[in-house]
Amino acid sequence: MSEGLNGTMMTERPWSEAERWLLVAVLGLEMTMGIVGNCLVLLVKVMCRDQFSCRYWLPFLSLTLSDLGCSLLIISGSLVAILTGGQSSPWCEVVSLLKFAFITSSLGSIAILCVQRLISMASTGSVLFVVMVTACLASWVTGLVFGSVPVVYAWIRFDPAEMLCAVFWENSYSDMLLYILCAFSLCIFLPCILIFFCSLLLTATSCRSTCNSDDDAADLSSVSPLLVSFYMLCYTPFFVSELILLGRKDLSPAPDWLRTLSSVMSYLDCGLNPLIYCSHQDFREAGLALLWTNRKPSSEPVLTSITKRVNVFQTFHLPNNDV
């Protein structure tokens, strides 16, 4: 039993030993998938960019950096928090700020990708490049701004259920309502609306015209429906927990199990995105070529050449030996 910042009493059920080590195993797997997968994705995007088509590379790069940052800083922070029993300041505030920034930037990157696909505007050309860079940076800055508000007003404390530092309210319900509505309107609802309408228009356009279907299928952006679907699936518990908070005037958070599920599922998205990229054939082949080309024996051509010369020498001298 503990007292929240708003004066309300909150029950915090301690993890059993089995539950704690299960969470350690799950978070460790998600962290490994996120770090290894996104590092490989960055290598393929940089070193093998000529081996697959990617007209909209900027939002893909922003999304990958967001997933990698979440895996390196947020998931590892939750893993350490479970093992040590909490997070201390100032790391506590930094984790809370960065988590909101990563959520906003990843959703914003997917929205920008959907808009680019709809208007067929590639990340090339000076003017278009500046527009796309500005849009991607805006999603990062917006997340940092809204993530810093709870830090400035000292609304942050460690949440054992969420396994990281989260926002707990000390002010009135109206203050909490104003902040969440503003943050969700700009950082969540607006990108979701763009994704929804762009997806509808893309579906309607593809049904009427198939002239560019081959080019779209060959481009890496063809995996964007999978990115959208898994993002919405993984972040649904997080959205639901925030909606529950909005509906409770006593400022009590969502149930412990839902807050834990929201963290585990949101972390899972960081490790799933590299697997979604690999569902694209050209990208997968470029990655396999990068991993295995340098591991082939370098002496194989020399041995083949020597074998051929020995065979030629033997066939050339056999008649003389018979004579």
Side-chain angles (χ1 to χ4, degrees):
M1 183 81 72
S2 65
E3 184 175 357
L5 295 179
N6 56 2
T8 59
M9 299 301 292
M10 297 176 54
T11 59
E12 294 178 354
R13 184 181 65 85
W15 299 112
S16 66
E17 195 69 13
E19 291 172 336
R20 190 165 71 94
W21 286 110
L22 177 61
L23 286 173
V24 167
V26 171
L27 293 182
L29 177 61
E30 290 178 338
M31 184 181 67
T32 303
M33 289 174 58
I35 294 176
V36 175
N38 286 288
C39 285
L40 289 176
V41 166
L42 286 176
L43 285 175
V44 173
K45 289 179 179 179
V46 172
M47 301 180 64
C48 306
R49 58 185 178 273
D50 296 330
Q51 300 181 27
F52 61 94
S53 175
C54 186
R55 290 178 291 172
Y56 318 114
W57 59 270
L58 191 58
F60 275 113
L61 179 62
S62 177
L63 179 60
T64 304
L65 290 176
S66 176
D67 291 337
L68 180 59
C70 184
S71 302
L72 283 171
L73 301 175
I74 309 302
I75 304 180
S76 62
S78 293
L79 185 60
V80 173
I82 293 178
L83 294 174
T84 59
Q87 289 177 336
S88 59
S89 183
W91 180 242
C92 181
E93 290 79 9
V94 172
V95 166
S96 176
L97 188 153
L98 289 179
K99 181 182 179 182
F100 198 85
F102 290 140
I103 292 175
T104 304
S105 61
S106 58
L107 184 58
S109 300
I110 295 176
I112 293 169
L113 175 62
C114 292
V115 171
Q116 280 191 283
R117 290 191 70 213
L118 178 63
I119 62 179
S120 299
M121 185 174 66
S123 302
T124 56
S126 57
V127 177
L128 299 181
F129 180 76
V130 171
V131 172
M132 290 300 101
V133 169
T134 303
C136 290
L137 287 178
S139 65
W140 283 87
V141 172
T142 303
L144 289 173
V145 169
F146 279 99
S148 63
V149 172
V151 175
V152 172
Y153 286 94
W155 295 338
I156 305 297
R157 75 175 179 86
F158 179 71
D159 181 11
E162 204 167 342
M163 300 173 292
L164 79 167
C165 290
V167 178
F168 286 86
W169 302 95
E170 63 178 351
N171 295 321
S172 64
Y173 176 80
S174 59
D175 295 334
M176 182 271 296
L177 181 65
L178 178 62
Y179 171 79
I180 291 184
L181 287 180
C182 290
F184 266 59
S185 297
L186 293 177
C187 302
I188 306 297
F189 294 148
L190 181 58
C192 286
I193 290 174
L194 287 176
I195 291 172
F196 178 73
F197 280 105
C198 288
S199 299
L200 284 181
L201 292 175
L202 280 170
T203 303
T205 303
S206 62
C207 291
R208 292 197 306 264
S209 174
T210 58
C211 58
N212 294 326
S213 58
D214 293 338
D215 293 338
D216 292 339
D219 193 83
L220 183 60
S221 63
S222 62
V223 303
S224 58
L226 284 175
L227 292 175
V228 172
S229 300
F230 279 98
Y231 186 94
M232 295 303 175
L233 176 65
C234 291
Y235 277 92
T236 294
F238 172 76
F239 299 148
V240 172
S241 65
E242 294 299 320
L243 291 176
I244 290 176
L245 178 61
L246 281 175
R248 292 180 171 178
K249 292 189 177 181
D250 61 351
L251 302 179
S252 60
D256 290 354
W257 68 267
L258 183 58
R259 303 204 308 275
T260 302
L261 181 64
S262 68
S263 291
V264 171
M265 291 298 293
S266 61
Y267 296 159
L268 179 63
D269 184 67
C270 299
L272 287 179
N273 284 340
L275 298 179
I276 294 174
Y277 299 143
C278 291
S279 67
H280 188 269
Q281 182 177 355
D282 293 342
F283 186 89
R284 181 173 64 252
E285 291 176 353
L288 292 175
L290 178 65
L291 290 175
W292 296 107
T293 297
N294 295 330
R295 301 179 67 175
K296 291 181 180 179
S298 58
S299 60
E300 182 178 348
V302 178
L303 291 176
T304 304
S305 177
I306 294 175
T307 303
K308 289 181 178 179
R309 290 180 181 178
V310 170
N311 292 335
V312 170
F313 179 82
Q314 290 177 347
T315 55
F316 180 80
H317 289 279
L318 273 177
N320 294 333
N321 293 336
D322 293 337
V323 175

